[in-house]
Amino acid sequence: MKIVEREVLSLKEKEVLRELWNNEYPAKLNLKTIEGFELYLAGLSKTKHYLLFDESDKINGWAFTFLRDQEEWFAIILDSQIQGKGNGSFLMNEIKKNNTSLNGWVIDHENEVKQNATLYRSPMAFYIKNGFAICKEIRIENEKMSGVKINWKR
């Protein structure tokens, strides 16, 4: 596996990443069109992308950082076929190299369903293992997501 850093994504990469997003995140978060995906990305500022490629140059994971309210935020998505094998930590460690603090939202329950009708498993244990603190008092609750803020500091 190798990580490639990008500031700008190609249309082909966006299509692959939108599919990865829709396959791995809860169905409520699906981005139905490439235009919707591009609109989401365009709404972020100072975005940096980290693409995880396998030996055959297929994208199997994606992380990105962005600025929100003067804080560095991130999201990470891995193909379920490569989860639980250290690939997420490999990607996370690459993001940490370029930041002193990271914030994210994490779904902290097992009530969501993916588009393939399987349960979305909360990645909370992954984040705790990777040194994140749970900010229990800060939650996001809306029609798309119910989760808690997490934070990592160097």
Side-chain angles (χ1 to χ4, degrees):
M1 295 281 185
K2 70 177 179 190
I3 298 169
V4 176
E5 203 176 307
R6 297 233 198 295
E7 301 240 344
V8 179
L9 299 168
S10 71
L11 182 58
K12 185 176 186 244
E13 288 168 340
K14 288 177 186 175
E15 288 169 347
V16 169
L17 295 174
R18 186 181 71 85
E19 191 174 312
L20 182 65
W21 174 295
N22 288 343
N23 287 342
E24 301 304 337
Y25 275 166
K28 283 186 199 172
L29 294 174
N30 274 12
L31 294 165
K32 308 234 184 297
T33 64
I34 193 68
E35 293 80 16
F37 184 70
E38 288 179 324
L39 199 60
Y40 169 76
L41 291 176
L44 305 175
S45 65
K46 301 208 185 233
T47 312
K48 214 181 252 181
H49 303 277
Y50 301 80
L51 306 178
L52 183 67
F53 288 91
D54 66 12
E55 303 73 40
S56 63
D57 273 346
K58 177 180 180 259
I59 298 173
N60 280 297
W62 171 43
F64 58 100
T65 58
F66 56 95
L67 197 62
R68 175 190 286 153
D69 300 326
Q70 280 73 56
E71 291 183 315
E72 198 68 37
W73 284 71
F74 81 99
I76 186 171
I77 308 169
L78 282 184
D79 185 307
S80 55
Q81 300 297 309
I82 67 158
Q83 291 176 13
K85 299 173 181 163
N87 295 302
S89 296
F90 176 55
L91 197 48
M92 185 61 68
N93 287 334
E94 188 64 26
I95 300 171
K96 286 177 175 179
K97 284 181 194 172
N98 297 325
N99 294 281
T100 55
S101 177
L102 289 167
N103 298 282
W105 293 119
V106 62
I107 294 171
D108 57 348
H109 56 83
E110 308 277 329
N111 307 328
E112 299 296 334
V113 178
K114 299 193 314 188
Q115 75 175 359
N116 68 1
T118 62
L119 274 182
Y120 174 81
R121 290 187 38 224
S122 170
M124 188 64 81
F126 166 80
Y127 291 116
I128 292 168
K129 182 181 89 176
N130 279 277
F132 282 80
I134 303 160
C135 309
K136 291 185 172 91
E137 68 286 351
I138 305 172
R139 296 193 58 83
I140 183 170
E141 299 287 346
N142 60 40
E143 67 284 344
K144 296 242 182 215
M145 187 176 171
S146 169
V148 65
K149 184 178 180 181
I150 56 172
N151 174 262
W152 168 83
K153 282 182 174 48
R154 187 179 311 279

